[in-house]
């Protein structure tokens, strides 16, 4: 462990509603963290700390036992709005009684102060035509910083420049993945790709949904991405930067298929999680582990989608992606229930999933869209189920999204309307959760899991699709309030995105951020978010689901960053840009 670095990093102490809750660091860090700087939240008003589009929903939350009146004052001292809050309501996930201040009517660009009756509380908030431009760029550049197998040069990475980590040109076949053609310890090359998260391993299933979601963002917002420069090494080719960034991962994924049978390895990993260190310090052997049905189907879906998108820019490569997608699908049909089983000597992330019906439906739909062959749509109908909020393990909504938004003309009217009703039903459930929430946020008890902020953003993703299919304001408001939630309108008062907002996390569980010599973490990462599972050894300030969060390296179950949580966040930023552009 890099003690020098830990001792200069800060830990947070959270002061909420008068009660001081000291957050003890986990054992291994306590002794090194002597210079901890106290970080206090004085703002009890919970609001989006990054800013609002003029026409976006702007609900603020104030812990209170009674209704309040509020004044909104512009920077010339003029009162632009006088209003009253909602009645107080109890939010069980944070144990607070709160009122809502709906300031959506404040639509002129500017900086405003809120004054609340008989309370000394004031906050300022921003209304801006482009509140998220930088955050959107950094949200995508975070993928570049998490690239395996490439040196990051100062001209692209600035202070985050670093030597190449994990070339992965010599990767071993783990015993669990052994076959006649590729026996245990034989070697393959599987370079590039994104590190999954705060760790340095690469997992197909999680890579797959991340890649799909970013491809979807490009597909739905091509005009925006056509000229959006990310300042990455490929920025000067004639391909949109977002596609260059995604290609880095798709190219890696393509190496994870065994060409001898079409099966796909579940992950490429060291046997254990590494200590805190920079990527280039990782010298442990890397293995591909077990072929699984979930990896094959996830791979098949994503490669089929990639074959369509990259057909416009690199058609030969795109064709080979489709061949790979079909081979993986064929393997999965022949091996329909090979579930991931972590071998005894492997300790890294599992991403295990014992129900792959949803992945069958997803791959079937993507192959139908890519090939126009009706047998795949028949298979989609056979495997599809009621859509649920997407996650790495749950892809049931993704084929509906793809079919409805990318392939409308390939469907009959009755298919289209039937699929649409199913997806809208999910969105309607989410809207109802939003409406009945004291916090004006569509988060329910099931949502506070490891990666709850990813759940929030995937709910927003579903709502945006519904809004596109049926432009009801309720979908837009519920989605925007989920964005407001992760940017600060939440009980902890953190903006959950590194580098953005007044109180962003400073100590994400991200090895590069922790091991480099830079005080600030890599910006643009959405951290996992609170949940009461507390599946690590840290001391949390609260056991309540929406409060159980710790801005500390120790807390990998609430404060890690991942490629799959960032992707739907990026999607929302693209969607909001599109919606609010002048
Ligand atoms: O499926 C059960 C559900 O039935 C139950 O109601 C619920 C209650 O907690 O738990 C559900 O399982 C959880 C599962 O995620 C699905 O949400 C597990 O408890 C929980 O431990 C599991 O967390 C996963 C975590 O790895 C541990 O395996 C996260 O989803 C996943 O995002 C995270 O991924 C890690 C990688 O392994 C390694 N790289 C970093 C990445 C992010 O932390
Ligand atoms: O650092 C690891 C993180 O990237 C993973 O998401 C997490 C999931 O299991 O595990 C972390 O590693 C921890 C390990 O599981 C247990 N010992 C402490 C490690 C973190 O310091």
């Amino acid at each position: 462990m890099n003690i020098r670095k830990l001792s200069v990093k800060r830990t947070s102490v959270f002061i909420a509603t008068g009660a001081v809750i000291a957050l003890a660091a986990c054992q291994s860090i306590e002794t090194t963290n002597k210079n901890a700087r106290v970080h206090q939240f004085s703002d009890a008003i919970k609001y989006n700390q990054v800013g609002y589009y003029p026409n976006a929903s702007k609900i603020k939350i104030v812990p209170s036992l009674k209704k309040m009146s509020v004044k909104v004052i512009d920077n010339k001292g003029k009162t632009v709005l006088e209003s009253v809050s909602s009645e107080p309501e109890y939010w069980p996930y944070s144990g607070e009684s709160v009122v809502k201040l709906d300031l959506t009517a404040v639509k002129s660009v500017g900086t405003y102060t809120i004054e609340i009756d008989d309370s000394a509380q004031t906050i300022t908030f921003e209304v801006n035509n482009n509140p998220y431009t930088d955050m959107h760029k950094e949200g995508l550049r975070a993928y570049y910083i998490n690239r395996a197998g490439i040196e990051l040069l100062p001209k692209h990475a600035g202070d985050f420049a670093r030597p190449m980590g994990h070339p992965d040109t010599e990767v071993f076949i783990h015993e669990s993945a052994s076959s006649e053609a590729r026996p245990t310890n034989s070697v393959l090359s599987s370079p590039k790709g994104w590190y999954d998260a705060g760790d340095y391993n690469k997992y197909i299933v999680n890579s797959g949904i991340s890649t799909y979601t970013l491809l979807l963002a490009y597909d739905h917002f091509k005009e925006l991405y056509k000229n959006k420069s990310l300042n990455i090494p490929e920025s000067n080719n004639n391909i949109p930067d977002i596609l260059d960034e995604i290609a880095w991962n798709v190219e890696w994924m393509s190496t994870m298929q065994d060409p001898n049978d079409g099966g796909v390895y579940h992950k490429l990993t060291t046997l254990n999680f590494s200590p805190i260190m920079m990527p280039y310090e990782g010298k442990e052997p890397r293995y591909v582990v077990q072929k699984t049905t979930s990896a094959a189907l996830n791979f098949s879906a994503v490669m089929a989608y990639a074959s369509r998108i990259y057909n416009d820019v690199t058609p030969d490569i795109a064709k080979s992606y489709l061949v790979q997608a079909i081979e993986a699908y064929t393997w999965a049909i022949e091996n329909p229930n090979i579930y991931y089983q972590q071998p005894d000597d492997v300790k890294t992330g599992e991403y295990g999933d014992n129900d792959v019906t949803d992945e069958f439906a997803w791959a079937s739909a993507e192959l139908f869209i890519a090939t126009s062959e009706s047998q795949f749509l028949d298979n989609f109908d056979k495997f599809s189920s009621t859509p649920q909020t997407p996650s790495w393990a749950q892809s049931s909504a993704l084929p509906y999204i793809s079919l409805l938004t990318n392939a409308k003309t390939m469907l009959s009217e009755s298919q289209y309307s039937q699929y649409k009703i199913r997806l809208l039903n999910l969105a309607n459930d989410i809207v109802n959760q939003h409406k009945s929430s004291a916090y004006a946020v569509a988060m329910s008890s099931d949502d506070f899991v490891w990666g709850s902020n990813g759940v929030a953003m995937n709910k927003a993703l579903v709502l945006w699709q519904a809004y596109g299919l049926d432009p009801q304001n309720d979908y837009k408001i519920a989605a925007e309030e989920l964005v407001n939630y992760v940017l600060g309108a939440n009980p902890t008062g953190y903006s959950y995105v590194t580098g953005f907002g007044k109180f962003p996390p400073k100590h994400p569980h991200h090895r590069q951020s922790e091991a480099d010599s830079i005080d600030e973490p890599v910006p643009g990462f959405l951290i996992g978010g609170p949940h009461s599972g507390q599946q690590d050894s840290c001391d949390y300030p609260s056991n309540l689901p929406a409060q159980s969060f710790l801005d500390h390296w120790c807390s990998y179950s609430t404060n890690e960053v991942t490629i799959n949580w960032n992707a739907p966040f990026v999607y929302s930023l693209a969607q909001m840009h599109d919606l609010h552009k002048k």
Side-chain angles (χ1 to χ4, degrees):
M1 185 177 288
N2 183 337
I3 291 178
R4 182 190 61 78
K5 185 62 198 296
L6 279 177
S7 66
V8 297
K9 290 268 171 173
R10 293 151 296 176
T11 197
S12 301
V13 171
F14 178 74
I15 301 186
T17 52
V20 180
I21 305 153
L23 308 186
C26 61
Q27 286 285 304
S28 55
I29 293 172
E30 249 172 5
T31 49
T32 65
N33 224 336
K34 299 258 193 264
N35 295 348
R37 196 183 80 180
V38 173
H39 176 65
Q40 299 184 1
F41 290 115
S42 51
D43 296 352
I45 303 173
K46 322 291 184 183
Y47 66 106
N48 174 336
Q49 299 161 17
V50 181
Y52 302 87
Y53 281 102
N55 289 315
S57 182
K58 305 180 189 72
I59 300 177
K60 278 120 181 117
I61 306 295
V62 193
S64 171
L65 292 170
K66 63 180 183 56
K67 203 168 167 172
M68 312 176 136
S69 55
V70 60
K71 268 190 197 170
V72 181
I73 300 158
D74 71 12
N75 59 2
K76 296 193 183 83
K78 186 179 159 208
T79 299
V80 296
L81 182 76
E82 287 189 69
S83 181
V84 286
S85 73
S86 62
E87 294 290 340
E89 277 176 273
Y90 182 71
W91 205 45
Y93 313 121
S94 64
E96 296 165 292
S97 169
V98 295
V99 296
K100 295 173 197 162
L101 305 176
D102 188 346
L103 307 184
T104 305
V106 180
K107 291 182 192 284
S108 301
V109 169
T111 305
Y112 299 91
T113 305
I114 303 177
E115 277 183 16
I116 295 179
D117 64 354
D118 70 2
S119 123
Q121 294 189 58
T122 59
I123 56 151
T124 54
F125 69 95
E126 292 259 338
V127 177
N128 189 326
N129 282 323
N130 292 298
Y132 308 142
T133 306
D134 289 348
M135 187 166 64
H136 188 176
K137 182 175 178 182
E138 295 304 335
L140 280 165
R141 280 178 49 76
Y143 290 85
Y144 163 65
I145 301 289
N146 252 31
R147 281 189 190 185
I150 188 172
E151 178 186 4
L152 308 187
L153 299 174
K155 66 177 172 180
H156 303 122
D159 290 348
F160 298 104
R162 57 163 170 80
M164 178 203 282
H166 306 90
D168 287 338
T169 45
E170 275 201 356
V171 174
F172 299 100
I173 301 281
H174 186 266
E175 198 184 350
S176 59
S178 173
S179 63
E180 216 175 295
R182 289 180 162 185
T184 306
N185 285 333
S186 52
V187 170
L188 79 153
S189 178
S190 188
K192 301 190 176 180
W194 298 312
Y195 297 130
D196 184 55
D199 64 326
Y200 293 138
N201 305 300
K202 305 190 288 195
Y203 309 82
I204 280 293
V205 166
N206 206 46
S207 256
I209 187 162
S210 311
T211 302
Y212 169 83
T213 307
L214 292 181
L215 286 173
L216 195 73
Y218 168 74
D219 208 0
H220 291 181
F221 308 108
K222 289 200 180 82
E223 274 308 303
L224 159 65
Y225 284 120
K226 203 165 70 185
N227 297 313
K228 191 168 177 71
S229 172
L230 301 179
N231 186 26
I232 55 177
E234 302 80 9
S235 282
N236 291 330
N237 67 14
N238 287 327
I239 297 174
D241 282 6
I242 188 174
L243 288 188
D244 285 320
E245 193 49 57
I246 301 170
W248 191 263
N249 201 57
V250 178
E251 286 170 28
W252 165 65
M253 287 182 74
S254 74
T255 67
M256 288 291 280
Q257 183 171 50
D258 180 352
N260 300 293
D261 63 3
V264 177
Y265 303 109
H266 196 73
K267 62 177 175 176
L268 189 164
T269 181
T270 47
L271 294 181
N272 295 294
F273 284 115
S274 79
I276 297 171
M277 61 179 197
M278 291 296 283
Y280 60 88
E281 295 177 284
K283 306 289 181 216
E284 292 295 305
R286 310 258 282 176
Y287 296 86
V288 291
V289 181
Q290 203 194 340
K291 290 169 190 163
T292 62
T293 312
S294 62
L297 291 168
N298 175 298
F299 174 99
S300 176
V302 174
M303 296 310 266
Y305 195 7
S307 77
R308 295 197 298 113
I309 298 293
Y310 287 96
N311 191 42
D312 292 340
V313 289
T314 48
D316 291 343
I317 301 177
K319 280 192 191 76
S320 71
Y321 289 162
L322 184 56
V323 173
Q324 287 196 284
I326 293 169
E327 282 172 2
Y329 189 81
T330 309
W331 184 93
I333 297 278
E334 285 161 7
N335 299 275
N337 50 13
I338 302 195
Y339 305 129
Y340 185 68
Q341 172 81 49
Q342 181 94 302
D344 286 347
D345 59 340
V346 180
K347 306 290 182 213
T348 53
E350 299 194 16
Y351 290 118
D353 182 1
N354 291 355
D355 179 356
V356 294
T357 327
D358 47 327
E359 282 80 10
F360 265 115
W362 183 24
S364 302
E366 299 297 343
L367 283 171
F368 168 66
I369 302 171
T371 63
S372 304
E373 283 180 30
S374 60
Q375 51 156 337
F376 291 121
L377 190 61
D378 295 344
N379 278 0
F380 166 71
D381 284 327
K382 182 166 132 202
F383 291 114
S384 60
S385 53
T386 307
Q388 296 177 45
T389 300
S391 71
W392 61 261
Q394 178 47 260
S395 57
S396 56
L398 305 181
Y400 288 99
I401 293 174
S402 290
L403 288 166
L404 292 165
T405 66
N406 300 334
K408 182 177 178 183
T409 56
M410 298 174 72
L411 304 174
S412 70
E413 259 177 46
S414 75
Q415 283 165 330
Y416 179 79
S417 59
Q418 194 193 351
Y419 300 160
K420 181 170 148 183
I421 288 168
R422 288 192 208 153
L423 193 63
L424 292 187
N425 280 343
L426 172 60
N428 294 340
D429 287 348
I430 299 174
V431 165
N432 289 337
Q433 291 168 3
H434 161 85
K435 287 187 170 169
S436 62
S437 162
Y439 248 85
V441 65
M443 293 291 282
S444 69
S445 58
D446 293 345
D447 298 330
F448 290 99
V449 293
W450 190 316
S452 59
N453 287 338
V455 177
M457 289 299 91
N458 273 305
K459 289 184 138 180
L461 179 83
V462 170
L463 290 163
W464 291 127
Q465 307 316 307
Y467 189 65
L469 296 168
D470 182 6
Q472 304 283 336
N473 220 21
D474 279 353
Y475 297 132
K476 172 179 169 290
I477 293 171
E480 287 177 339
E481 286 305 329
L482 283 158
V483 172
N484 290 339
Y485 169 87
V486 298
L487 296 179
N490 68 69
T492 67
Y494 277 95
S495 160
Y496 288 129
V497 180
T498 55
F500 291 89
K502 206 167 165 190
F503 299 117
K506 298 281 190 184
H507 315 280
H509 192 90
H510 182 241
R511 280 171 173 71
Q512 175 169 341
S513 292
E514 194 65 19
D516 65 19
S517 54
I518 304 160
D519 206 26
E520 293 296 317
V522 172
F525 269 122
L526 178 70
I527 55 87
H531 67 109
S532 45
Q534 303 185 353
Q535 288 157 293
D536 43 41
S537 55
C538 320
D539 278 337
Y540 286 87
S542 163
N543 291 329
L544 291 160
Q547 299 269 23
S548 182
F549 167 71
L550 198 55
D551 178 23
H552 197 288
W553 160 262
C554 171
S555 180
Y556 50 81
S557 76
T558 72
N559 203 30
E560 189 160 3
V561 303
T562 64
I563 56 175
N564 63 312
W565 305 328
N566 251 51
F569 172 60
V570 164
Y571 186 98
S572 264
L573 300 183
Q575 169 74 72
M576 289 176 80
H577 172 95
D578 188 67
L579 207 61
H580 295 283
K581 68 176 183 268
K582 293 250 165 197

